[in-house]
Amino acid sequence: MIKNLQDTIQLNNGIAMPGFGLGVFQVPNDATAEIVKNGIEVGYRSIDTAAIYGNEAGVGEGIKQALASTGLKREDLFITSKVWNDGLSYDETVAAYEDSLQKLGLDYLDLYLIHWPGNNKYAESWKALEDLYKAGKIKAIGVCNFNVSHLQDLLKTARVVPVINQVEFHPRLQQVELRAFCKERNIQLEAWAPLMQGGLLEDPTIAEIATKYGKSNAQVILRWDVQNGVVTIPKSVRKERMIQNADIFDFSLTDEEMQVINEMNLEKRVGPNPAEFDFKM
Ligand code: NDP
């Protein structure tokens, strides 16, 4: 289990990834640099963006500013982006990767993910990711929003096993079957919308536990992620919340408290169901 904000877990290809990071979904590009800079300055080392978020340039600018202000090096950071649904052919995926690198102003990514399985169009895209990975242009490759059936299908032909499956995960959607499947194959589960996009911040069951420790609901949920061995990337544009969200390494939930939260599962989503989702934007 990670012990602090910068602690890493080891992915199935041996690469170290911070177990806790900052997401920037829905952050406008022109606000992103400041937020990413703040995040790195308060101790975050992992930043999660995507081509479709339209803020890779802002992320890149924030990284540049933070490296200058902190004296950190590029290799101290762990940067993730994702290829969108509209470009899942082999050539489109390679071009999308180059485009993301250019916008970010980086010469490699630590992690590059297929954003959605789409209508089973990911096989070619995965081949492109494998080749980019084997050529040393990406440190690690993975997927998002893959159900068990998508993973089973991909693994039939994959030459590289995904390191990560980044999926919606929070106390109301615990992905029990998918988590067990990923664990068996050493595919790390990473939680998006860990705070249910704000939906659990007033929840009374979590609040009761939070009060006991003098913590917020957000902190209890994120601590539950950490104790579950799930990588998590809460998003906040506010520096004080970034700090608060990461201030979870000075308390532990008891087995009983973990169980109370486990029992909140309704397999309820705030985002789309990958089994049905094939939109283009
Ligand atoms: P989160 O569950 O992280 O919730 C973010 C919301 O919670 C924001 O409204 C934020 O507001 C608020 N918030 C954050 N911290 C606190 C706090 N301590 N107290 C009160 N409110 C708080 O949702 P996301 O959807 O952003 O998920 C996290 C990340 O996962 C994304 O940013 C993105 O990187 C990734 N993601 C990936 C997807 C995929 O398909 N692969 C899909 C969706 C997200 P404020 O910013 O104002 O503080």
Side-chain angles (χ1 to χ4, degrees), residues 164-178:
I164 285 269
N165 189 15
Q166 183 186 106
V167 296
E168 184 180 340
F169 179 84
H170 44 69
R172 294 293 188 207
L173 178 65
Q174 300 189 22
Q175 305 268 23
V176 176
E177 187 198 355
L178 181 62

Side-chain angles (χ1 to χ4, degrees), residues 2-258:
I2 56 165
K3 300 275 185 288
N4 60 59
L5 175 56
Q6 294 166 9
D7 218 353
T8 57
I9 53 126
Q10 197 179 348
L11 299 172
N12 68 26
N13 67 346
I15 293 287
M17 173 180 189
F20 202 97
L22 181 67
V24 295
F25 178 42
Q26 292 176 325
V27 181
N29 189 46
D30 57 3
T32 303
E34 174 80 9
I35 288 158
V36 167
K37 177 172 175 272
N38 284 341
I40 295 170
E41 284 181 354
V42 304
Y44 286 77
R45 296 293 174 262
S46 166
I47 307 291
D48 183 88
T49 184
I52 196 69
Y53 301 169
N55 59 16
E56 290 173 305
V59 171
E61 182 55 32
I63 291 170
K64 206 167 106 192
Q65 291 177 14
L67 295 186
S69 68
T70 60
L72 290 168
K73 299 191 178 65
R74 163 68 183 93
E75 55 270 28
D76 297 324
L77 303 179
F78 190 97
I79 309 301
T80 301
S81 193
K82 317 182 189 98
V83 55
W84 187 241
N85 299 36
D86 61 356
L88 293 185
S89 73
Y90 186 98
D91 290 344
E92 285 170 320
T93 301
V94 172
Y97 182 66
E98 295 299 338
D99 189 51
S100 285
L101 278 188
Q102 201 207 353
K103 290 197 170 111
L104 285 157
L106 300 176
D107 52 15
Y108 71 92
L109 285 187
D110 297 279
L111 180 62
Y112 196 51
L113 305 172
I114 295 181
H115 206 147
W116 285 91
N119 190 14
N120 298 347
K121 286 179 295 194
Y122 44 76
E124 263 198 70
S125 191
W126 188 250
K127 279 198 185 72
L129 261 59
E130 289 176 325
D131 288 349
L132 289 163
Y133 170 66
K134 285 181 187 261
K137 294 186 176 175
I138 316 173
K139 301 281 182 202
I141 55 175
V143 295
C144 302
N145 302 306
F146 271 43
N147 290 338
V148 168
S149 61
H150 297 126
L151 285 171
Q152 280 170 330
D153 182 52
L154 184 77
L155 291 171
K156 277 186 210 149
T157 53
R159 293 165 291 157
V160 177
V161 176
V163 295
I164 285 269
N165 189 15
Q166 183 186 106
V167 296
E168 184 180 340
F169 179 84
H170 44 69
R172 294 293 188 207
L173 178 65
Q174 300 189 22
Q175 305 268 23
V176 176
E177 187 198 355
L178 181 62
R179 240 169 103 200
F181 183 91
C182 288
K183 192 167 181 199
E184 251 173 50
R185 283 149 190 89
N186 204 9
I187 299 170
Q188 174 67 46
L189 203 88
E190 182 176 16
W192 68 253
L195 304 175
M196 209 181 169
Q197 296 178 341
L200 287 168
L201 300 176
E202 308 286 330
D203 180 86
T205 306
I206 293 174
E208 198 177 321
I209 300 172
T211 304
K212 173 180 160 193
Y213 293 104
K215 295 285 181 184
S216 67
N217 275 23
Q219 289 171 310
V220 167
I221 295 167
L222 297 167
R223 180 72 208 176
W224 174 78
D225 283 342
V226 166
Q227 288 185 216
N228 269 318
V230 171
V231 171
T232 190
I233 44 168
K235 170 260 178 187
S236 182
V237 298
R238 304 181 208 199
K239 197 172 182 176
E240 67 277 10
R241 285 185 180 167
M242 292 178 199
I243 295 169
Q244 183 202 120
N245 289 345
D247 182 16
I248 56 168
F249 298 100
D250 59 352
F251 77 110
S252 291
L253 300 172
T254 63
D255 291 347
E256 291 73 26
E257 289 159 348
M258 291 293 287

